[in-house]
Amino acid sequence: MGCCQSSLFSRVKETENNPLEKQPQQQPQPYQQFHSTATNETEKDFSDPSSFTFSEFSLSDLKSATNNFSSEYIVSESGEKAPNLVYKGRLQNQKRWIAVKKFGKAAWPDPKQFVEEASGVGKLRHPRLANLIGYCCDGDERLLVAEFMPNDTLAKHLFHWENQTIEWAMRLRVALYIAQALHYCTSEGRPLYHDLNAYRVLFDEEGDPRLSCFGLMKNSRDGKSYSTNLAYTPPEYLRNGRVTPESVIYSFGTVLLDLLSGKHIPPSHALDMIQGKNNMLLMDSHLEGKFSTEEATVVVNLASKCLQYEPRERPNTKDLVTTLAPLHTKPDVRSHIMLGIPKQEEAPSTPQRPLSAMGEACSRMDLTAIHQILVATHYRDDEGTNELSFQEWTQQMRDMLEARKRGDYAFRDKDFKTAIDNYSQFIDVGTMVSPTVFARRSLCYLLCDQPDPALRDAMQAQCVYPDWPTTFYIQSVALAKLNMHKDAADMLNEAAALEEKRQRGARGS
C-alpha cells in the first residue's frame, strides 16, 4: 500500500467530499409492540432465525476462541471469584463474537441432564434474549455458548457509569424489553429464571437491552438458584428452596427498584417508602427530575405488586407487559443514542496469520486493550525516526515537548479530548514528527467516535514509519468503523504480514 498517496486514502476523501457517494444507511424499523402470543411472522420482523443455529461445539474450538480460556477474556462481572466464569471469544474465520460460560467441575455431573437442559433453552429464539447458540459436553467439561453482548450490563450502566446515567425513557425501555423476554419464555414453557438481577440484563450492538439466556439454566443440577444477598431473595425461596414463576416476578420487582433508584435498595426498605407515600424518595437523584411523575408512579406501583410477600398476589408476565407497554414513548429513538454510546460495528474477519496482542486487540476492535498497549509501549517505536541537532533545542522545541507531555498524561488518564488538543499542538509546530503521537491521536479519535480523522492520523503515522505494523492495525479498526470491512480485513492481514516479517528478521539476526 502506498504512503500518503494511497488509493484507499483517495477513496475515503472522495466519499467525504461527494455527497452523492454517501448513501444513507437504511435505518432498522423500531421493534413492533410485543403481544402475548408471538407468531413466527412477528419473529421474522425482529431477527433472522437462520443466523441462530443451536449446535454442539468441540472443546478445542472453544479453547481456540477464548485463547485457551485466558483471564484476559473473562467478561463476567464477578471476575475470578465467580464459580462459573463467562468468557468472550471468536470462532476461527467468524466475525461474530460469542460468550462462553464455563461451569465448575462439580456442576452437572450427569452429561445427559446437561445436554437436555441446554437443548431446551437452545430452542428459544427471541430478540429480547441473548440467545443460547450451543454447548460443549466433553469429559468433565460443561460449557454454554451464547450471543455476545458488547455493551456491558444494566448494573454497569446504572451503578458504575462513567459518562452519563441512563435517561428515564431508556429505563422504561429496559423494563419493557425484559418483561417481554420473560413473557416469551413463559409462553414457550420456560417460566423459571434463576437469580434475575441487573447483571443478567445485557446490551447488544445496537444498545438494546436483552435478558441473558444463562439464567434459564441453574448453575448446576444441585446448585443454588440465587447467589444474591438474602435481602433480595424471594421469601418463598428462603422457606422451601424452590424457584417458581412467582419468584421470577419478585426478582423482576427488584430490577424495577434498581431502574427507579439507580441503586440496589433492599425490597423491604423500598416497600416502607412506598407504603409511607414517599415514592419520590425512591427516584434516582442523577435523573435531576427529568422524568414523568405519572410514569414513575405506574412503575413504583408495579414494583410494589411484584414484591408482595404472598406469591399469589403478584402479577404475571402478561400483566407486566400490559402495564409497561404504554410507557414506551420514544420507540423511534435508537437505544445506543439514548445510552450515549457509539454503535458497535462488526470486527474485521480473523486473518490467517497468528496475531500479536496488538493485532488481537485490533481484530476484535477492543479500543481499551489498544489504549493499554500504546500506554505500555510509550515511544519505543519512535527510535530512529527523528535526529535533532543541538540548535533545534529552542524554547519552541521545549514548548512543543511540553505539549506532548501534557497529551501523554491526558492519554494515560483517558481524557481523550484533552489528549487530542495537546497532541495537535505538538503536531502543528512540525519541528519533530512522531509516529507514536499520530497513532495515539488516532486512537483518541476512535474513542471519541471520529473514525475519519482517526484513519488520516494512522496513515500519517505510516508515512513517517512505513514498516510499523501498529499503523496498519489501527487503520484496520478505523476502516471497520467506516463500514469498509473488506479494506479493514485486508489491512489487518497486511499488518500481520509485516509483523511476521519483522519477527523473522529478529530471529535471523
Short mmCIF file of all heavy atoms in Angstrom, two decimals, residues 29 32 100 102 137 186 189 191 205 225 229 237 243 250 265 270 282 329 349 400-401 409 465 472 504:
data_model
loop_
_atom_site.label_atom_id
_atom_site.label_comp_id
_atom_site.label_asym_id
_atom_site.label_seq_id
_atom_site.Cartn_x
_atom_site.Cartn_y
_atom_site.Cartn_z
N GLN A 29 -36.23 -0.62 11.32
CA GLN A 29 -37.50 -0.15 11.87
C GLN A 29 -37.56 -0.42 13.36
O GLN A 29 -37.03 -1.43 13.83
CB GLN A 29 -38.68 -0.87 11.17
CG GLN A 29 -38.80 -0.51 9.70
CD GLN A 29 -39.03 0.97 9.50
OE1 GLN A 29 -39.92 1.54 10.11
NE2 GLN A 29 -38.23 1.59 8.65
N GLN A 32 -41.72 -3.74 16.77
CA GLN A 32 -43.17 -3.69 16.89
C GLN A 32 -43.57 -3.97 18.33
O GLN A 32 -42.82 -4.52 19.10
CB GLN A 32 -43.79 -4.76 15.98
CG GLN A 32 -43.44 -4.58 14.50
CD GLN A 32 -43.99 -5.72 13.68
OE1 GLN A 32 -44.72 -6.56 14.20
NE2 GLN A 32 -43.66 -5.75 12.41
N VAL A 100 -18.98 -17.51 26.32
CA VAL A 100 -18.83 -18.91 26.73
C VAL A 100 -18.88 -18.98 28.25
O VAL A 100 -18.04 -18.39 28.93
CB VAL A 100 -17.50 -19.52 26.22
CG1 VAL A 100 -17.41 -20.98 26.63
CG2 VAL A 100 -17.39 -19.36 24.70
N LYS A 102 -18.37 -21.20 31.44
CA LYS A 102 -17.63 -22.41 31.82
C LYS A 102 -17.98 -22.77 33.26
O LYS A 102 -17.72 -22.02 34.18
CB LYS A 102 -16.13 -22.15 31.69
CG LYS A 102 -15.24 -23.38 31.76
CD LYS A 102 -13.79 -22.99 31.45
CE LYS A 102 -12.91 -24.21 31.25
NZ LYS A 102 -12.62 -24.91 32.49
N CYS A 137 -20.02 -30.54 25.85
CA CYS A 137 -20.06 -31.52 26.93
C CYS A 137 -18.98 -32.55 26.61
O CYS A 137 -19.20 -33.50 25.86
CB CYS A 137 -21.45 -32.17 26.99
SG CYS A 137 -21.71 -33.23 28.41
N THR A 186 -42.09 -17.65 29.20
CA THR A 186 -43.24 -18.28 29.86
C THR A 186 -44.16 -18.92 28.83
O THR A 186 -44.62 -20.06 28.99
CB THR A 186 -44.01 -17.24 30.69
OG1 THR A 186 -43.15 -16.72 31.70
CG2 THR A 186 -45.24 -17.86 31.34
N GLY A 189 -43.05 -22.24 27.62
CA GLY A 189 -42.93 -23.32 28.60
C GLY A 189 -41.66 -23.28 29.43
O GLY A 189 -41.29 -24.29 30.03
N PRO A 191 -40.81 -20.89 32.19
CA PRO A 191 -41.14 -19.73 33.03
C PRO A 191 -40.13 -19.46 34.15
O PRO A 191 -40.19 -18.40 34.78
CB PRO A 191 -42.49 -20.10 33.64
CG PRO A 191 -42.44 -21.60 33.75
CD PRO A 191 -41.65 -22.06 32.55
N GLU A 205 -25.26 -4.86 20.31
CA GLU A 205 -24.53 -3.93 19.45
C GLU A 205 -25.29 -2.62 19.25
O GLU A 205 -24.70 -1.55 19.09
CB GLU A 205 -24.26 -4.57 18.08
CG GLU A 205 -23.34 -5.77 18.12
CD GLU A 205 -24.08 -7.07 18.38
OE1 GLU A 205 -25.28 -7.03 18.74
OE2 GLU A 205 -23.45 -8.14 18.24
N SER A 225 -30.07 -21.58 43.34
CA SER A 225 -30.66 -20.80 42.26
C SER A 225 -30.46 -19.31 42.46
O SER A 225 -30.63 -18.53 41.53
CB SER A 225 -32.17 -21.10 42.15
OG SER A 225 -32.35 -22.43 41.73
N ASN A 229 -27.64 -11.37 47.72
CA ASN A 229 -27.88 -11.16 49.14
C ASN A 229 -29.29 -11.64 49.52
O ASN A 229 -30.24 -11.48 48.74
CB ASN A 229 -27.73 -9.65 49.43
CG ASN A 229 -27.77 -9.33 50.90
OD1 ASN A 229 -28.78 -9.56 51.56
ND2 ASN A 229 -26.69 -8.80 51.40
N TYR A 237 -38.57 -18.70 48.45
CA TYR A 237 -37.35 -19.48 48.18
C TYR A 237 -36.59 -19.71 49.48
O TYR A 237 -36.00 -20.77 49.67
CB TYR A 237 -36.47 -18.75 47.17
CG TYR A 237 -35.20 -19.50 46.84
CD1 TYR A 237 -35.23 -20.57 45.95
CD2 TYR A 237 -34.00 -19.17 47.44
CE1 TYR A 237 -34.08 -21.29 45.65
CE2 TYR A 237 -32.83 -19.89 47.15
CZ TYR A 237 -32.88 -20.94 46.26
OH TYR A 237 -31.74 -21.66 45.98
N VAL A 243 -37.55 -22.46 43.12
CA VAL A 243 -37.86 -21.33 42.26
C VAL A 243 -39.19 -21.59 41.57
O VAL A 243 -39.41 -22.67 41.01
CB VAL A 243 -36.77 -21.11 41.20
CG1 VAL A 243 -37.12 -19.93 40.30
CG2 VAL A 243 -35.43 -20.86 41.86
N TYR A 250 -41.00 -11.65 41.54
CA TYR A 250 -40.42 -10.93 42.68
C TYR A 250 -39.06 -10.33 42.28
O TYR A 250 -38.78 -9.16 42.56
CB TYR A 250 -40.26 -11.89 43.85
CG TYR A 250 -39.77 -11.23 45.14
CD1 TYR A 250 -40.68 -10.78 46.10
CD2 TYR A 250 -38.41 -11.05 45.38
CE1 TYR A 250 -40.24 -10.18 47.27
CE2 TYR A 250 -37.96 -10.44 46.54
CZ TYR A 250 -38.88 -10.02 47.49
OH TYR A 250 -38.43 -9.41 48.64
N ILE A 265 -31.48 -1.17 46.25
CA ILE A 265 -32.18 -0.96 47.52
C ILE A 265 -32.87 -2.25 47.96
O ILE A 265 -33.59 -2.86 47.15
CB ILE A 265 -33.24 0.16 47.39
CG1 ILE A 265 -32.56 1.49 47.02
CG2 ILE A 265 -34.04 0.31 48.66
CD1 ILE A 265 -33.54 2.63 46.83
N ALA A 270 -37.60 -0.37 50.38
CA ALA A 270 -38.36 0.30 49.33
C ALA A 270 -39.86 0.24 49.64
O ALA A 270 -40.57 1.23 49.47
CB ALA A 270 -38.07 -0.35 47.98
N LEU A 282 -37.65 7.43 46.32
CA LEU A 282 -37.04 6.29 45.63
C LEU A 282 -36.27 6.71 44.39
O LEU A 282 -35.35 6.03 43.96
CB LEU A 282 -38.14 5.31 45.19
CG LEU A 282 -38.52 4.15 46.11
CD1 LEU A 282 -39.64 3.36 45.47
CD2 LEU A 282 -37.32 3.25 46.37
N THR A 329 -42.54 5.51 25.15
CA THR A 329 -42.98 6.68 24.39
C THR A 329 -41.97 7.17 23.36
O THR A 329 -42.24 8.12 22.64
CB THR A 329 -43.28 7.84 25.36
OG1 THR A 329 -42.13 8.07 26.17
CG2 THR A 329 -44.47 7.50 26.24
N SER A 349 -12.70 -9.66 9.81
CA SER A 349 -12.56 -11.11 9.92
C SER A 349 -11.15 -11.47 10.36
O SER A 349 -10.19 -10.76 10.09
CB SER A 349 -12.89 -11.79 8.59
OG SER A 349 -12.06 -11.26 7.58
N MET A 400 6.94 22.60 22.65
CA MET A 400 6.31 21.52 21.89
C MET A 400 6.35 20.21 22.67
O MET A 400 5.37 19.47 22.77
CB MET A 400 7.02 21.37 20.55
CG MET A 400 6.39 20.33 19.63
SD MET A 400 7.35 20.15 18.11
CE MET A 400 8.85 19.44 18.74
N LEU A 401 7.53 19.92 23.24
CA LEU A 401 7.65 18.69 24.02
C LEU A 401 6.79 18.73 25.28
O LEU A 401 6.30 17.70 25.74
CB LEU A 401 9.12 18.45 24.38
CG LEU A 401 10.02 18.08 23.21
CD1 LEU A 401 11.48 18.02 23.65
CD2 LEU A 401 9.60 16.76 22.59
N TYR A 409 -0.04 12.60 29.47
CA TYR A 409 -0.74 12.48 30.75
C TYR A 409 -2.25 12.30 30.53
O TYR A 409 -2.90 11.47 31.17
CB TYR A 409 -0.48 13.72 31.62
CG TYR A 409 0.90 13.78 32.23
CD1 TYR A 409 1.56 15.00 32.38
CD2 TYR A 409 1.55 12.63 32.67
CE1 TYR A 409 2.84 15.07 32.93
CE2 TYR A 409 2.83 12.69 33.22
CZ TYR A 409 3.47 13.90 33.35
OH TYR A 409 4.72 13.95 33.90
N TYR A 465 6.64 6.18 9.31
CA TYR A 465 7.25 4.89 9.67
C TYR A 465 6.55 3.80 8.85
O TYR A 465 5.65 3.13 9.33
CB TYR A 465 7.06 4.68 11.17
CG TYR A 465 7.87 3.56 11.80
CD1 TYR A 465 7.89 3.40 13.18
CD2 TYR A 465 8.61 2.65 11.04
CE1 TYR A 465 8.62 2.38 13.79
CE2 TYR A 465 9.33 1.64 11.62
CZ TYR A 465 9.33 1.51 13.00
OH TYR A 465 10.05 0.50 13.58
N PHE A 472 -0.86 0.03 10.61
CA PHE A 472 -1.78 -0.74 9.79
C PHE A 472 -2.92 -1.31 10.64
O PHE A 472 -4.08 -1.34 10.22
CB PHE A 472 -1.03 -1.88 9.09
CG PHE A 472 -0.07 -1.41 8.03
CD1 PHE A 472 1.21 -1.00 8.36
CD2 PHE A 472 -0.45 -1.38 6.70
CE1 PHE A 472 2.10 -0.57 7.39
CE2 PHE A 472 0.42 -0.95 5.71
CZ PHE A 472 1.70 -0.54 6.05
N ARG A 504 10.67 -12.59 11.81
CA ARG A 504 11.66 -13.44 11.12
C ARG A 504 13.02 -12.75 11.07
O ARG A 504 14.06 -13.37 11.26
CB ARG A 504 11.19 -13.75 9.70
CG ARG A 504 10.14 -14.85 9.62
CD ARG A 504 10.10 -15.47 8.24
NE ARG A 504 9.92 -14.45 7.19
CZ ARG A 504 8.75 -14.07 6.71
NH1 ARG A 504 7.65 -14.61 7.20
NH2 ARG A 504 8.68 -13.16 5.77
#
